[in-house]
Amino acid sequence: MNRRQFLSWLRRLAKTAAAGVVGLAGSRWLRAGFLGAEAAPPAQRPIRPPGALPEARFRAACTRCLLCGEVCSAMCIAFPSRIEGSQPPLRRAPGAMERQELAPPVWRGDDTPYILPWKRACNLCMRCGEVCPTGALRPIAVDRQTIAREVRMGVALIDRKVCLPWTRTSWCGACLTACPYRQRAITVDHQGRPTVHPEHCVGCGLCVEVCPLRYKAIAVDPPFAPDRGAVRAE
Amino acid sequence: MILRGWLSRRRRRWPGGARKVQVLRRTLQLLVLALLFAIPTLSLYDNLRNQRDEVGIQSRWDTRLVHRLVADLEEPKALTQAVRGSVWTFKAGELVISDPLAVVDFVAASRVPWDRFLITALLPVLLSLLLGRVFCGWLCPADLLFELAGKARNWAGIKTDVTFSRGTKTAVLAAGVVAAVILGNQVFAEIYPPRIVGAELYLWITFGTFGAGAWFFLALIAFEIFVSRRFWCRYVCPGGALYALLGRYRLLRLEVDPVACTECRLCNVSCELGLDPMGGRFGQDCNNCGLCVRACGHDALNWRLGLPPSGGVDRLGHPESGVAAATPGEPAP
């Protein structure tokens, strides 16, 4: 090896080392970003923002512009790439087994909007429908009656084998307090045990957010199946 | 010694016309990139402020900075809510501008002939009809990053350059439309680098995580550096194909002065997209970036505003007859 070859070898070595250092530092930084998966309590599923079209039409119309997430005043609209620990809806709640069969698999990580109510629930500000350029989220007037009539993000299901009043563990009432349609969508009996009335529930998930149990005793079951609309309309 | 060389190169001369155009182009591209950083930060600040979350605002350096800037204003919302979105769908006040590819994707997936959303692509479509692939070279944030990847490629001395057919991207566009119609799901959004850059920046700033698109974009950058130069823009990009088709009969074109041209091929070497401006064979793929105009040492290459070539154009937008014979040089092998 002569001097010229040695120098060019040195140069290549320096370049390779520099690339390696940059790559290692970069991979650490990227891992920190990429591996932040959403962790869900069991029996929780993401729901669509309020005013969303039926699932098939929503996926066709949503242009993945992320505007709904930008304007979301509750900062609840997320674009999860994957959710660890999320399961089909509650097994023990009445009717949940049937709905589980209806629910199609959800392909996440395609930058369509979801709400993860166990992290942050929707406060029904309706800005997302206002900003959506394609009408995948319909604009709905910010009005209690209109919202109660038009919004069906899902229906809350209570797991009676976990819920504090239902298991006679303690008094609670957190879901009743958080519910924007309290005494209609959620009522409690004389023993403080909550019941959801599906015909009044808009599925905002505020009850899920405030449920004090680590493994939430309440979940929102999204109407992803196409024939859920007919069931809800009754 | 290296530093001295760099300085002397910098001092060479004040930019002339073609160099000023490059300064303008880089400024625009950097502005778009800066907006892609700024818009999610402003939105995040706006939402935190709506929730009166002072702790949340103060716990991040970027929202803290925004807070310092807008806290004293009479109407902070006029600034923090002024602009939304990214290059895929941009919203300034009531004005919504979206990428024509988004509209194509929407129409194909939802199978509707008309929607209010179609109007939002009007402005880009008109500009592309007049100026060609000008969005690719002047506004696309991915173009800037791909050009940086090209710099890294040159720096590392990588010579491998796999070439494909230029018509591939039109085939990708057609295949994507068919797939969107069949699946009923938008497909271009997932593979369109400008949207991915904007979306990933938004996800990173807002949630601190990246999505699947970041992996895809990193793979593209690696492929650009190690395998094929600017392969995405040249051969694959469905958006580039759409803009190229729109700009097929555009009015802004390059023109070679056959007297001044010395056939040095500096323009062909400088072309990021590997076109042949010296032979007049740049076709519909030219994104009007102006690198070839800057490279020309004899002012033989310039822009011309006028009607498209009279003899018609072939599949790739090259002049069919007449013009090619009059210009010097052979098409690049």
Side-chain angles (χ1 to χ4, degrees):
Chain A
M1 184 188 283
N2 61 24
R3 182 168 162 275
R4 182 182 291 263
Q5 279 173 335
F6 176 70
L7 281 177
S8 82
W9 177 78
L10 264 188
R11 194 158 160 240
R12 282 223 318 272
L13 189 72
K15 279 186 177 179
T16 315
V21 168
V22 169
L24 275 178
S27 75
R28 263 185 83 100
W29 177 72
L30 287 173
R31 268 210 308 276
F34 281 119
L35 290 187
E38 312 282 353
Q44 297 286 336
R45 299 178 60 195
I47 52 182
R48 290 287 186 204
L53 296 174
E55 182 63 13
R57 280 175 62 204
F58 180 86
R59 305 186 74 76
C62 173
T63 186
R64 282 85 159 146
C65 63
L66 316 183
L67 276 170
C68 48
E70 275 182 24
V71 300
C72 179
S73 70
M75 300 200 297
C76 64
I77 295 182
F79 304 89
S81 49
R82 68 178 197 277
I83 300 172
E84 284 174 358
S86 71
Q87 299 280 325
L90 299 171
R91 282 160 185 277
R92 287 182 287 268
M97 293 292 280
E98 288 80 359
R99 288 197 195 93
Q100 189 187 333
E101 289 166 16
L102 294 176
V106 178
W107 172 42
R108 299 187 189 108
D110 60 346
D111 289 349
T112 53
Y114 289 101
I115 292 175
L116 318 178
W118 60 93
K119 296 191 75 179
R120 279 170 179 275
C122 174
N123 62 0
L124 300 171
C125 71
M126 298 296 144
R127 284 196 195 177
C128 46
E130 192 187 327
V131 80
C132 181
T134 62
L137 302 174
R138 289 175 294 123
I140 293 170
V142 189
D143 170 65
R144 281 185 67 83
Q145 277 75 39
T146 317
I147 289 173
R149 197 172 57 243
E150 299 283 333
V151 177
R152 285 289 179 274
M153 301 154 78
V155 57
L157 299 171
I158 292 173
D159 190 343
R160 295 182 175 180
K161 300 217 167 142
V162 181
C163 178
L164 294 176
W166 278 104
T167 54
R168 296 166 184 271
T169 310
S170 76
W171 173 262
C172 178
C175 50
L176 177 75
T177 317
C179 182
Y181 295 95
R182 67 182 73 93
Q183 305 298 1
R184 277 194 289 159
I186 295 183
T187 55
V188 293
D189 61 11
H190 63 287
Q191 293 187 11
R193 300 180 298 196
T195 311
V196 176
H197 301 280
E199 65 274 16
H200 293 300
C201 179
V202 298
C204 63
L206 283 163
C207 48
V208 181
E209 192 186 358
V210 299
C211 181
L213 292 172
R214 188 167 162 228
Y215 298 107
K216 306 285 186 181
I218 192 163
V220 177
D221 181 24
F224 278 174
D227 50 348
R228 277 299 298 281
V231 177
R232 302 286 314 120
E234 287 169 4
Chain B
M1 197 166 124
I2 293 164
L3 190 66
R4 208 168 58 203
W6 184 76
L7 281 176
S8 68
R9 237 186 307 158
R10 286 285 138 155
R11 275 203 210 120
R12 198 162 51 191
R13 65 187 165 102
W14 182 249
R19 283 174 67 89
K20 275 182 190 160
V21 169
Q22 289 309 306
V23 172
L24 182 67
R25 187 170 79 97
R26 289 283 182 245
T27 313
L28 264 176
Q29 283 180 326
L30 287 172
L31 186 73
V32 169
L33 204 59
L35 269 178
L36 291 183
F37 275 98
I39 290 175
T41 311
L42 287 174
S43 301
L44 183 66
Y45 171 77
D46 189 50
N47 292 330
L48 288 172
R49 202 182 154 101
N50 276 340
Q51 299 177 1
R52 294 174 178 74
D53 188 356
E54 289 295 325
V55 178
I57 290 173
Q58 295 298 328
S59 66
R60 295 175 56 112
W61 71 267
D62 47 359
T63 47
R64 206 159 53 218
L65 181 70
V66 175
H67 185 66
R68 206 171 297 162
L69 291 175
V70 306
D72 300 333
L73 294 180
E74 291 273 323
E75 276 288 328
K77 283 181 181 176
L79 185 69
T80 55
Q81 297 183 353
V83 284
R84 302 281 202 189
S86 61
V87 289
W88 186 241
T89 298
F90 180 78
K91 191 169 187 289
E94 289 302 306
L95 177 72
V96 181
I97 302 172
S98 53
D99 197 300
L101 190 67
V103 167
V104 169
D105 216 1
F106 171 80
V107 170
S110 56
R111 307 166 196 141
V112 293
W114 172 253
D115 189 271
R116 209 162 42 92
F117 183 51
L118 269 66
I119 306 171
T120 59
L122 189 65
L123 195 66
V125 165
L126 282 180
L127 272 174
S128 303
L129 285 175
L130 297 177
L131 306 175
R133 271 180 85 171
V134 73
F135 281 91
C136 295
W138 286 70
L139 291 177
C140 177
D143 176 273
L144 184 65
L145 299 175
F146 285 154
E147 282 190 43
L148 279 178
K151 294 268 191 288
R153 181 187 162 82
N154 290 343
W155 181 74
I158 292 163
K159 294 279 187 285
T160 322
D161 194 1
V162 181
T163 54
F164 306 90
S165 160
R166 285 191 175 281
T168 313
K169 55 181 177 299
T170 317
V172 170
L173 179 68
V177 168
V178 171
V181 170
I182 293 172
L183 296 174
N185 202 332
Q186 305 202 2
V187 292
F188 292 130
E190 320 294 341
I191 59 160
Y192 191 49
R195 195 207 73 94
I196 289 175
V197 171
E200 296 304 322
L201 284 177
Y202 166 79
L203 293 179
W204 180 48
I205 290 171
T206 313
F207 303 106
T209 59
F210 296 102
W215 289 113
F216 180 71
F217 191 72
L218 281 181
L220 286 192
I221 292 274
F223 202 83
E224 298 266 327
I225 292 178
F226 294 109
V227 183
S228 177
R229 175 171 169 246
R230 297 305 300 271
F231 88 104
W232 184 267
C233 308
R234 287 161 77 175
Y235 311 121
V236 189
C237 186
L242 184 63
Y243 281 121
L245 288 176
L246 287 171
R248 202 172 160 81
Y249 300 103
R250 65 183 185 276
L251 302 183
L252 186 69
R253 278 167 190 275
L254 291 167
E255 193 180 47
V256 184
D257 179 0
V259 180
C261 179
T262 58
E263 304 190 21
C264 66
R265 291 189 180 277
L266 274 178
C267 49
N268 288 8
V269 172
S270 73
C271 182
E272 281 279 325
L273 300 179
L275 301 169
D276 177 23
M278 192 183 80
R281 296 184 63 77
F282 44 83
Q284 61 199 23
D285 280 349
C286 173
N287 62 7
N288 281 323
C289 69
L291 284 171
C292 53
V293 180
R294 186 184 72 171
C296 185
H298 303 277
D299 288 338
L301 203 60
N302 232 318
W303 279 292
R304 176 181 65 89
L305 209 57
L307 292 173
S310 52
V313 292
D314 68 2
R315 192 170 56 85
L316 292 175
H318 298 140
E320 282 283 17
S321 58
V323 181
T327 48
E330 297 295 317

